[in-house]
């Protein structure tokens, strides 16, 4: 039996009407009716007598309502126990982020969060695919564009840009390009434009590759691009948030950069009160604050 259909059946039996159940579930009357019909078909029985004054449970319907009522009570008590644990920061937290941001910015900072909350269990899901938060594929997301779902709480964390970076050692050996045309004589390290990445980054890569570059290294994530740049292989197209943790990166062609890419933190409205979500949110905001301070001090120094 489908849990979702049982939930809808329970609401209808409780309300005694498709319309009232629909209001409670935020579903149209026809959607509710379809689900009830599908449940009756799957069970091979009628669950409601349909009367002018509403719906009355059949004998089989009564049996099922008894079972769903007991389930609802158990869920309520489990939910109360979970809320108790929400007073403390513990339990599992599923966090999703892009491979680049998750590997290069978030993961190295998590030690501070664990020091504060040693009982947290973080499940870090790093992929370019946008996971569905309302469907609980993850609890919290850090995304490179504003989430479109309306029932999410979202915070803009910062704006990033893709820029060109190399090491002093590479530039000492290969020379420092002064113009975009000079890039033709350098090894360029980047992601291919047909790989999942922010559009602004892909556009910058296209611009760079249009210089008839002789030698390239393409990697399917920023972690690989960064490691190759740090190993003096060439000039890499990388997000600017890396410079805080890698002061050995030297910016190449100061006026060459991508458009701004917003970074958002998002989580479902219903998790607003959860202590572990609040703890993670506050931790990320503190780290962004520290990163912003680093950025402004550095821009003042220049």
């Amino acid at each position: 039996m489908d849990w979702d259909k049982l939930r809808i059946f329970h609401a209808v039996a409780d309300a005694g009407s498709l319309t009232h159940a629909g209001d409670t579930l935020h579903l149209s009357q026809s959607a509710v009716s379809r689900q009830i019909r599908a449940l009756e078909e799957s069970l091979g029985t009628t669950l409601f007598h349909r009367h002018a004054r509403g719906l009355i449970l059949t004998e089989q319907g009564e049996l099922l309502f008894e079972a769903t009522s007991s389930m609802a009570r158990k869920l309520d008590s489990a939910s109360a126990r979970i809320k108790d644990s929400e007073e403390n920061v513990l339990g599992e937290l599923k966090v999703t982020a892009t491979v680049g941001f998750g590997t290069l910015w978030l993961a190295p900072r998590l030690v501070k969060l664990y020091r504060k909350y040693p009982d947290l269990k973080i499940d870090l899901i790093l992929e370019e695919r946008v996971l569905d938060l309302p469907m609980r594929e993850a609890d919290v997301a850090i995304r490179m564009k504003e989430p479109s779902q309306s029932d999410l709480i979202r915070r803009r964390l910062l704006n990033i840009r893709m820029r060109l970076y190399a090491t002093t050692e590479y530039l000492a050996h290969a020379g420092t390009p002064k113009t975009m045309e000079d890039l033709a004589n350098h090894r360029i390290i980047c992601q291919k434009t047909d790989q999942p990445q922010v559009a602004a980054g892909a556009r910058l890569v296209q611009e760079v590759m249009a210089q008839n570059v002789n030698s390239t290294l393409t990697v399917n994530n920023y972690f690989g691009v960064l490691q190759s740049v740090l190993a003096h292989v060439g000039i890499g197209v990388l997000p600017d948030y890396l410079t805080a943790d890698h002061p050995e990166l030297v910016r190449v062609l100061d006026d060459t950069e991508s458009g701004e890419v917003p970074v958002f933190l998002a989580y479902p409205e219903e998790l607003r009160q959860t202590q572990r979500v609040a703890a993670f949110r506050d931790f990320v905001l503190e780290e962004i604050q520290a990163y912003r301070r680093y950025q402004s001090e550095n821009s003042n120094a220049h």
Side-chain angles (χ1 to χ4, degrees):
M1 267 185 275
D2 182 330
W3 283 97
D4 212 39
K5 290 188 179 63
L6 289 178
R7 183 176 64 91
I8 291 168
F9 161 79
H10 183 78
V12 173
D14 207 15
S17 123
L18 293 172
T19 315
H20 290 149
D23 291 345
T24 311
L25 297 164
H26 306 297
L27 290 171
S28 68
Q29 184 182 332
S30 60
V32 173
S33 177
R34 266 199 311 277
Q35 295 285 14
I36 296 297
R37 266 203 310 279
L39 182 61
E40 288 179 327
E41 276 165 30
S42 72
L43 293 170
T45 188
T46 306
L47 297 170
F48 294 99
H49 294 303
R50 286 150 177 85
H51 283 277
R53 63 178 184 281
L55 300 172
I56 296 167
L57 286 163
T58 61
E59 195 179 331
Q60 291 84 352
E62 290 282 5
L63 274 172
L64 190 59
F65 186 54
E66 219 172 284
T68 58
S69 299
S70 144
M71 279 160 58
R73 280 195 300 277
K74 282 181 180 155
L75 286 170
D76 286 345
S77 103
S79 155
R81 284 208 304 280
I82 288 164
K83 281 200 168 61
D84 289 347
S85 82
E86 285 175 355
E87 301 312 306
N88 305 307
V89 178
L90 46 84
E92 190 183 69
L93 182 69
K94 282 198 279 190
V95 178
T96 177
T98 59
V99 177
F101 198 82
T103 314
L104 300 169
W105 191 89
L106 181 59
R109 287 168 170 73
L110 288 177
V111 64
K112 297 175 192 172
L113 185 64
Y114 281 120
R115 270 190 209 129
K116 217 169 175 184
Y117 307 111
D119 298 329
L120 257 185
K121 295 182 177 74
I122 295 174
D123 179 8
L124 191 53
I125 307 158
L126 301 180
E127 53 177 289
E128 307 310 315
R129 183 172 71 91
V130 173
L131 298 189
D132 192 330
L133 296 186
M135 293 304 291
R136 299 305 296 277
E137 283 191 300
D139 301 316
V140 187
I142 296 177
R143 293 183 178 159
M144 300 294 148
K145 64 175 186 185
E146 184 162 7
S148 52
Q149 287 115 321
S150 57
D151 47 357
L152 293 180
I153 294 169
R154 79 271 329 260
R155 287 284 295 265
R156 185 186 278 237
L157 297 176
L158 74 160
N159 294 317
I160 61 174
R161 291 179 187 272
M162 307 302 152
R163 291 173 168 155
L164 302 178
Y165 296 100
T167 56
T168 316
E169 192 171 318
Y170 170 82
L171 296 173
H173 162 74
T176 303
K178 298 282 185 284
T179 64
M180 279 290 268
E181 291 72 28
D182 293 347
L183 293 176
N185 308 314
H186 288 267
R187 186 168 302 105
I188 300 298
I189 311 165
C190 59
Q191 294 194 52
K192 282 187 174 167
T193 51
D194 61 356
Q195 274 161 351
Q197 60 184 304
V198 293
R203 280 196 293 275
L204 178 58
V205 167
Q206 273 170 335
E207 227 178 291
V208 169
M209 291 305 200
Q211 309 307 317
N212 298 321
V213 175
N214 293 327
S215 178
T216 62
L217 168 60
T218 54
V219 191
N220 66 343
N221 62 51
Y222 285 126
F223 180 71
V225 175
L226 174 67
Q227 294 308 310
S228 308
V229 171
L230 294 177
H232 325 297
V233 175
I235 296 172
V237 178
L238 284 166
D240 60 0
Y241 60 74
L242 291 173
T243 50
D245 298 340
H246 297 281
E248 65 272 48
L249 291 175
V250 178
R251 189 164 172 202
V252 174
L253 297 180
D254 284 356
D255 52 353
T256 301
E257 59 184 12
S258 75
E260 275 192 337
V261 179
V263 181
F264 281 87
L265 176 79
Y267 50 93
E269 181 79 52
E270 78 227 38
L271 295 182
R272 182 196 282 273
Q273 302 303 329
T274 315
Q275 289 299 314
R276 55 186 181 276
V277 169
F280 182 80
R281 178 201 60 212
D282 295 345
F283 150 75
V284 169
L285 292 174
E286 274 168 37
E287 287 302 312
I288 289 290
Q289 225 59 67
Y291 168 72
R292 283 222 179 96
R293 276 197 301 277
Y294 166 87
Q295 261 192 325
S296 68
E297 281 162 16
N298 263 39
S299 62
N300 293 342
H302 292 313

